[in-house]
């Protein structure tokens, strides 16, 4: 029987490993909603870094799900990656910033220039100077 287990062990291990190897990574943009609306990878879902633990746990309860995280600059992706690893996610990778990924050839989506929100004019309020006249006393 011991010999039989030894013969079956490689195929059993391969059977367990294949689903892990075959799973396509999920791309998650952890940027702010405004940054995601402006530009993101075509296949990415948006989960802001402030909600990463709760939303990933809900959407991807399998802690073996391969997760690729990025944002506009890479810092929030690294923080989010560390948070998910603390929760027990085993295949989490911070991939850096959007511009680097797009430069590497990953397809992105960009907001059309005509759809760019018009920024509100800034109004600067200067403190009013008020002089008290004898009639106001």
């Amino acid at each position: 029987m011991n010999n039989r287990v030894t013969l079956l062990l490689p195929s059993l291990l391969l059977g367990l490993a294949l689903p892990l190897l075959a799973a396509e990574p999920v791309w998650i943009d952890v940027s702010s909603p405004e940054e995601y609306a402006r530009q993101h990878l075509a296949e990415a879902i948006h989960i802001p870094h402030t909600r990463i633990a709760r939303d990933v746990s809900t959407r991807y309860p399998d802690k073996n799900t391969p997760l690729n995280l990025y944002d506009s600059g890479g810092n929030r992706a690294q923080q989010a990656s560390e948070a998910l690893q603390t929760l027990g996610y085993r295949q989490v990778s911070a991939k850096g910033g959007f511009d680097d990924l797009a430069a590497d050839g990953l397809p992105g989506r960009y907001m059309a220039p005509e759809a760019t929100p018009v920024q509100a004019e800034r109004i600067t309020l200067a403190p009013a100077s008020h002089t008290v006249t004898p009639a106001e006393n």
Side-chain angles (χ1 to χ4, degrees):
M1 180 149 165
N2 192 9
N3 195 20
R4 186 175 181 189
V5 171
T6 305
L7 290 173
L8 291 175
L9 191 58
S11 62
L12 178 62
L13 291 175
L14 183 60
L16 292 172
L18 280 178
L20 296 176
L21 298 173
E24 287 292 318
V26 176
W27 282 90
I28 301 175
D29 186 320
V30 298
S31 300
S32 70
E34 296 80 16
E35 290 168 324
Y36 181 80
R38 206 170 27 252
Q39 62 185 18
H40 60 272
L41 294 179
E43 299 300 319
I45 64 164
H46 181 235
I47 301 176
H49 75 285
T50 56
R51 296 189 343 224
I52 196 73
R54 182 189 65 212
D55 289 4
V56 167
S57 296
T58 301
R59 274 184 102 144
Y60 306 102
D62 180 0
K63 301 209 181 209
N64 288 313
T65 303
L67 304 170
N68 290 336
L69 310 180
Y70 75 95
D71 64 277
S72 60
N75 293 330
R76 289 169 288 179
Q78 183 61 43
Q79 293 170 353
S81 173
E82 291 168 6
L84 291 174
Q85 289 172 9
T86 299
L87 290 174
Y89 284 86
R90 294 173 193 85
Q91 297 188 58
V92 182
S93 180
K95 296 295 188 178
F98 173 81
D99 290 337
D100 294 332
L101 296 170
D104 286 344
L106 293 172
R109 292 201 175 139
Y110 303 88
M111 181 184 290
E114 62 274 3
T116 303
V118 176
Q119 294 193 357
E121 287 184 34
R122 288 188 156 184
I123 300 172
T124 305
L125 299 176
S129 74
H130 182 70
T131 319
V132 179
T133 60
E136 292 179 317
N137 280 337

